[in-house]
Amino acid sequence: MSSDHTHETDAPPLTETIAPGTASDPSVSGTERATITVDGTDVTVESGSTLLDAVEAADTDDTVPALCHYDREDEIGPRSECRTCMVETDANGVVPACSHPAEDGATVRTAADPAAEARDVNLDLVLSDHNLRCTTCGKNGRCELQDAAIEQDVDEPRYGVLDDRDAYEPLDDTSSFIQIDRNKCILCNRCVEACNDVQVEGVLRVEGSGQDTRIGFQSDVETMEDSACVSCGHCATVCPTGSLVEKGIEDATTIPLPGFTQKNSVGKSHERHGKSKGPMTPKKRVDSPATEDSPADDPDDADGGEWP
């Protein structure tokens, strides 16, 4: 598709020509329905919609991955974290579709060269910082990052791969319910929002900065077992990759390779030390005198969870 901005094709995608996202994104809380032209097709979207909603409504030929985006009805996102959803607009140039408001009369081009190049570069950046040993990943075949890489015909990320840098973090296998592999985390922030804004548990956070940015715990502990996690599993549900996976299915789609597993591919892992976390919601304790047929409750009984 032709573009009025083809002279910008060679410009680096992550520059000041890209409208800001995340906290400084324009509000999407408009009250009017908007009609948007997406790749030549007019679509009308509800008030408060984003350009990504319009792109999805238009069902364009080009794929717009939007890896950090999640169903906004679930109060998660948009975040503009991964920038894999860049599109070109007449009014604002290249913008993140997941967070930019759908303004009436706007024109969007998903196939414009600057937007397509921005999506490709940003996807390569995400892939370059990800454990690409998909054959030993429990999310193999049901990973949104894997789907995006296949759809975008990525043969090899242009910025190298995590394997080349030998910088694997230990796999956190301490929880009875959720396994964390930060080597697969794309810092989309979905899990943090699910934990804090939806479940209101306040367990996870984004910590560090630059290349040291990672998902950590608000209680300053190192492992999931030592955190205040109540094992609701919402973080694993919204994770687009194999970074957070429910225990029991962490190897569900791993292709068996003799002597090669997810754990030994990472090199080391944090293991459980046997501390019981108890049930998700602690049982209400009712003190009652012990009888011969009904002995008093034992507060140290690990099977009953930890009493408040």
Side-chain angles (χ1 to χ4, degrees):
M1 177 172 292
S2 64
S3 167
D4 295 333
H5 297 264
T6 52
H7 62 283
E8 297 177 2
T9 302
D10 296 333
L14 297 176
T15 70
E16 66 277 6
T17 62
I18 296 176
T22 314
S24 55
D25 276 343
S27 171
V28 293
S29 58
T31 58
E32 303 292 334
R33 287 162 60 90
T35 298
I36 314 293
T37 302
V38 180
D39 293 345
T41 300
D42 290 343
V43 294
T44 300
V45 293
E46 299 296 325
S47 61
S49 297
T50 66
L51 292 183
L52 183 62
D53 296 323
V55 169
E56 292 175 346
D59 192 20
T60 63
D61 293 334
D62 275 288
T63 301
V64 179
L67 289 170
C68 67
H69 174 75
Y70 197 71
D71 185 2
R72 290 165 51 221
E73 294 179 359
D74 203 16
E75 302 180 18
I76 296 176
R79 293 290 301 180
S80 296
E81 297 285 353
C82 68
R83 303 299 185 101
T84 57
C85 64
M86 308 303 284
V87 297
E88 185 180 75
T89 65
D90 274 355
N92 298 289
V94 179
V95 298
C98 74
S99 59
H100 203 84
E103 298 166 331
D104 190 52
T107 298
V108 174
R109 288 176 291 275
T110 61
D113 288 342
E117 177 67 6
R119 291 198 300 270
D120 289 346
V121 167
N122 294 332
L123 179 59
D124 279 349
L125 286 169
V126 173
L127 288 167
S128 71
D129 203 29
H130 182 81
N131 180 355
L132 295 177
R133 295 180 177 179
C134 299
T135 53
T136 58
C137 178
K139 276 286 193 75
N140 186 26
R142 50 191 179 96
C143 168
E144 294 180 37
L145 178 59
Q146 188 182 47
D147 291 343
I150 293 172
E151 290 167 351
Q152 299 298 312
D153 296 323
V154 177
D155 293 326
E156 184 174 348
R158 71 191 75 180
Y159 305 112
V161 295
L162 189 61
D163 248 7
D164 297 335
R165 299 194 291 277
D166 191 24
Y168 286 107
E169 277 204 59
L171 185 150
D172 186 348
D173 199 37
T174 60
S175 168
S176 300
F177 302 96
I178 298 168
Q179 184 185 80
I180 306 178
D181 186 349
R182 292 182 176 84
N183 306 295
K184 299 173 185 172
C185 178
I186 63 172
L187 296 176
C188 66
N189 211 55
R190 289 187 188 180
C191 59
V192 175
E193 289 197 34
C195 180
N196 298 330
D197 300 339
V198 181
Q199 298 297 332
V200 201
E201 293 296 339
V203 176
L204 299 176
R205 70 179 179 188
V206 175
E207 61 185 21
S209 60
Q211 64 179 8
D212 296 324
T213 305
R214 69 201 290 269
I215 299 299
F217 303 103
Q218 295 198 25
S219 51
D220 284 328
V221 296
E222 182 60 26
T223 67
M224 183 68 98
E225 184 179 24
D226 292 330
S227 76
C229 174
V230 296
S231 308
C232 71
H234 203 160
C235 57
T237 300
V238 301
C239 180
T241 70
S243 182
L244 288 150
V245 182
E246 292 181 37
K247 296 295 281 291
I249 60 172
E250 67 269 35
D251 298 320
T253 54
T254 294
I255 297 176
L257 298 176
F260 190 65
T261 67
Q262 183 56 38
K263 281 190 177 182
N264 66 28
S265 74
V266 171
K268 54 185 176 181
S269 62
H270 295 301
E271 301 291 343
R272 297 189 63 201
H273 52 62
K275 179 182 178 182
S276 173
K277 295 284 289 192
M280 174 178 167
T281 304
K283 295 182 291 189
K284 292 182 179 179
R285 182 177 186 179
V286 179
D287 290 324
S288 57
T291 64
E292 184 176 345
D293 297 329
S294 179
D297 293 329
D298 180 359
D300 296 327
D301 183 1
D303 293 336
E306 296 174 344
W307 300 106

